Amino acid sequence: MANFFSFSRVNSFENCRLQYKYKYIDKVKSEVETIEAFLGNQVHEALKEFYDLVKNRVIKPKEWLISKYEELWKKNYHEGIKIVRNEYSPEDYYEKGKQCLLDYYEEFKNFDQTKVVKTEEPIYFRLQHEEREYPFFGILDRLDWNDKEKIFEIHDYKTSSTLMTQEEAEKDLQLPLYQLALQSKWPEAKKAKLVWHYLLFNKHVQAYKTPEQLEYIQEEMIEKIKQIESCQDFPPHKSALCDWCDYQDICPLWKHPKKMVALDVNEYKNDPGVKLVKEYSRLEVEKNRLNKMIQDIEKEQEKISQAALDFAQRENSWVIDGPEHQLVVTRKEELCAPTRREAKDKWEGLRQLLLKENRYVDVSTVNHRMLNRMLKRWPQEMIEKVKKHLVRRKIQKVELKNKS
Ligand code: SF4
């Protein structure tokens, strides 16, 4: 089985490469079983036992199905089961499973729509591509023969809390590949009905595939396998699925926080990682405090600059004396590149001129700073042309200078 691909293997790679590496390359054993997976296993097993009887035309009442589920739940439940959503109890999950079996029973009540061929059937098949074969493994939940339509039906039970849309069903690879696998045994499987039972929603979605679509799906899966085989880099991928991952205890994104939860207060305080975070966050708070202070100081200086400009105007004094420094006020008019917002026509005129004269590339855009620099280098004739498109802007500034 070691080199067999499976849908859960491919899904694991697509969800998180690091999880894939732990599970399928490093083969790290995991004791964790989530309650969702446990619920799904008990529902699958109860339906398998029920349909094994249906196969022999023994239709047990719904009470039988529920007591089988209860028996399996009690027999298999263990302390290591992980409940991620702790607002729910194990009993809530038990009831959820029970309700979906009751709904399912009501939906198919007579169980005479089709003939059961196989239940929980392991299937091994090989995807062919050029000279290579890719071994694949899967478990088919139920295979039925629909005698009315003379086709096989491939049934898959889902206990996930998200419902597949018809569009998603059309893109699903799992059941079409099971169909391909079946064709080697039964040529009638060239046409088959694919049925996904979303048990928690009491809803099923179905689809049919043409031989061309099956061929395309096979190629798509081979592409995915090739990508997995050539992968050299297995980074972690944080997502909502991390809460259900078996490897949080060793994953670099979760390892330290998980370890900290188990420490007592003193151990926690003395942990070197915790100390680093505390020191870093202390400095971050300090940095933010100082930044805020600088902003406040700049606002104050702005007010004083304005007062110095008023003073300079009123007193006609452009150098204002102080104990160690002087404030030097400058007032002048400069020719500037217009902004698009202040003079759209001039801005566009300047841009066109620069383009026409092949000077646009020198300034990259109509940029005041770059234009000023270039105006010192361009020939006088060019400068005169540019000046016609510039605007006059009053410049006022206040600078603090040392007393000389
Ligand atoms: S915890 Fe999340 S990021 Fe880490 S290995 Fe698991 S899925 Fe990947």
Side-chain angles (χ1 to χ4, degrees), residues 1-7 122-138 176-185 214-215 217-219 221-222 225 229:
M1 285 277 291
N3 293 321
F4 275 79
F5 281 89
S6 65
F7 288 97
I123 47 173
Y124 299 88
F125 54 103
R126 287 173 190 282
L127 300 173
Q128 307 274 348
H129 182 66
E130 293 167 357
E131 296 298 291
R132 273 204 65 183
E133 285 187 335
Y134 299 87
F136 219 92
F137 166 75
L177 286 186
Y178 289 172
Q179 183 183 348
L180 264 177
L182 288 175
Q183 283 177 16
S184 55
K185 283 191 191 172
L214 290 177
E215 191 59 35
I217 283 168
Q218 175 168 226
E219 280 166 23
M221 183 52 84
I222 288 168
I225 295 175
E229 285 186 330

Side-chain angles (χ1 to χ4, degrees), residues 217-389:
I217 283 168
Q218 175 168 226
E219 280 166 23
E220 208 180 321
M221 183 52 84
I222 288 168
E223 276 314 306
K224 285 176 190 267
I225 295 175
K226 281 186 185 169
Q227 196 196 356
I228 294 174
E229 285 186 330
S230 63
C231 182
Q232 301 288 328
D233 188 23
F234 298 89
H237 172 66
K238 195 171 183 178
S239 75
L241 296 176
C242 288
D243 284 341
W244 284 267
C245 176
D246 297 351
Y247 302 107
Q248 279 195 336
D249 288 348
I250 53 172
C251 169
L253 299 187
W254 295 90
K255 187 166 129 178
H256 191 255
K258 291 278 290 177
K259 194 173 149 201
M260 293 304 97
V261 173
L263 299 186
D264 68 28
V265 179
N266 281 331
E267 287 171 328
Y268 182 77
K269 277 203 298 206
N270 290 323
D271 179 86
V274 170
K275 284 184 178 168
L276 287 176
V277 177
K278 273 176 76 176
E279 186 54 12
Y280 193 96
S281 49
R282 187 188 69 74
L283 291 172
E284 189 69 18
V285 170
E286 185 62 5
K287 189 174 83 181
N288 290 341
R289 191 182 67 79
L290 293 174
N291 279 341
K292 170 82 175 61
M293 264 176 84
I294 288 170
Q295 281 174 10
D296 290 347
I297 290 169
E298 282 174 349
K299 274 189 204 155
E300 277 306 302
Q301 280 188 315
E302 188 51 46
K303 282 187 205 160
I304 294 173
S305 290
Q306 194 52 53
L309 287 170
D310 293 346
F311 181 93
Q313 177 75 23
R314 197 170 59 244
E315 304 293 329
N316 196 25
S317 294
W318 307 108
V319 176
I320 308 172
D321 202 41
E324 287 157 18
H325 300 91
Q326 292 177 328
L327 284 179
V328 178
V329 175
T330 310
R331 279 186 164 151
K332 59 179 178 181
E333 274 198 348
E334 253 182 20
L335 277 174
C336 302
T339 63
R340 192 178 190 176
R341 203 188 291 165
E342 74 180 335
K344 194 175 170 210
D345 291 348
K346 284 202 162 203
W347 181 88
E348 185 56 30
L350 177 58
R351 199 174 75 88
Q352 290 302 331
L353 172 73
L354 295 171
L355 283 169
K356 191 169 142 217
E357 301 285 337
N358 284 331
R359 297 288 180 181
Y360 197 67
V361 71
D362 295 346
V363 292
S364 82
T365 175
V366 185
N367 174 301
H368 175 62
R369 201 159 44 85
M370 290 182 79
L371 190 68
N372 269 356
R373 196 183 314 142
M374 295 317 293
L375 282 176
K376 293 184 187 124
R377 296 189 199 164
W378 286 339
Q380 194 56 35
E381 187 195 356
M382 179 65 200
I383 294 171
E384 292 308 319
K385 284 184 188 170
V386 168
K387 273 184 174 175
K388 289 182 196 151
H389 298 278

Side-chain angles (χ1 to χ4, degrees), residues 143-156:
L143 178 67
D144 287 358
W145 173 250
N146 184 325
D147 207 28
K148 230 189 270 165
E149 296 180 42
K150 303 288 180 216
I151 54 169
F152 280 106
E153 291 186 0
I154 298 170
H155 293 260
D156 194 55

